Amino acid sequence: MSICSWIKTALLKQGWIIARVPLDDKERTSKLVELLVEDNADGRARRLTLHPWLWYERPVRERFEGHDCGLTVEGPVYLGSDGTGFPLGSQLRTEFGWLDLTPAETNQLAVEVRSAIDLVLYRWFTRPDMAGRQLPCRPSRQRYYDDHVAKNLILSATPPTASMEQDAHAK
């Protein structure tokens, strides 16, 4: 058995599907695989993000996740006779079960969910205490520095745990 066959078998056992990639996409695909298999926090985050997309049979176009419910909009999108784009449908998940929605129901619900999201986000953006933090364009991230700052902000916003207090007394 060749090494490629072993790798393919191992990946299939993990739920991964192997497909042939056109030569012109070979470099992009290899970069994607390298990003997914990184053995660090970024690699774990990428794998965690990708994992739910493999739950569904159709390509996922959008996902709206709440605390207790989730809506997964499935594609691709097809144009109706009036030119309106319709996804193939969606699945609504709650703690009580699942509900399959038709393309028209999916469009209607997705519009309502997007409007609710916009309302909440604009309400935050327009708060007086946020005015000084608003920027005209997206700032770039300096991961090493920004992650350290975020970690300190999280620690300052949460009460210390017993192990943190023991560490402080030990110093």
Side-chain angles (χ1 to χ4, degrees), residues 61-102:
R61 292 208 20 91
E62 294 178 282
R63 176 170 286 125
F64 301 102
E65 289 289 335
H67 292 290
D68 300 318
C69 302
L71 175 67
T72 303
V73 178
E74 301 167 331
V77 171
Y78 290 95
L79 292 179
S81 57
D82 64 351
T84 303
F86 289 94
L88 289 178
S90 62
Q91 293 184 339
L92 177 58
R93 175 194 47 80
T94 71
E95 62 185 286
F96 306 110
W98 291 81
L99 178 63
D100 281 330
L101 299 175
T102 67

Side-chain angles (χ1 to χ4, degrees), residues 53-64:
W53 289 66
L54 302 176
W55 292 351
Y56 303 94
E57 293 113 19
R58 296 176 178 156
V60 175
R61 292 208 20 91
E62 294 178 282
R63 176 170 286 125
F64 301 102

Side-chain angles (χ1 to χ4, degrees), residues 17-116:
I17 297 173
I18 305 302
R20 294 200 183 272
V21 178
L23 288 177
D24 57 337
D25 286 341
K26 186 176 178 181
E27 188 174 328
R28 268 191 326 184
T29 304
S30 67
K31 287 179 184 177
L32 174 63
V33 171
E34 287 172 10
L35 290 171
L36 286 172
V37 299
E38 281 183 357
D39 189 20
N40 56 29
D42 288 339
R44 285 188 297 278
R46 289 183 190 104
R47 289 187 297 277
L48 185 65
T49 302
L50 181 63
H51 182 74
W53 289 66
L54 302 176
W55 292 351
Y56 303 94
E57 293 113 19
R58 296 176 178 156
V60 175
R61 292 208 20 91
E62 294 178 282
R63 176 170 286 125
F64 301 102
E65 289 289 335
H67 292 290
D68 300 318
C69 302
L71 175 67
T72 303
V73 178
E74 301 167 331
V77 171
Y78 290 95
L79 292 179
S81 57
D82 64 351
T84 303
F86 289 94
L88 289 178
S90 62
Q91 293 184 339
L92 177 58
R93 175 194 47 80
T94 71
E95 62 185 286
F96 306 110
W98 291 81
L99 178 63
D100 281 330
L101 299 175
T102 67
E105 292 168 332
T106 298
N107 266 1
Q108 181 182 357
L109 183 55
V111 165
E112 289 180 41
V113 171
R114 281 189 215 98
S115 296

Side-chain angles (χ1 to χ4, degrees), residues 109-135:
L109 183 55
V111 165
E112 289 180 41
V113 171
R114 281 189 215 98
S115 296
I117 291 170
D118 285 344
L119 180 67
V120 171
L121 296 179
Y122 278 127
R123 188 175 69 224
W124 269 77
F125 191 82
T126 58
R127 285 179 19 186
D129 61 329
M130 298 291 171
R133 295 168 50 189
Q134 296 170 4
L135 301 171

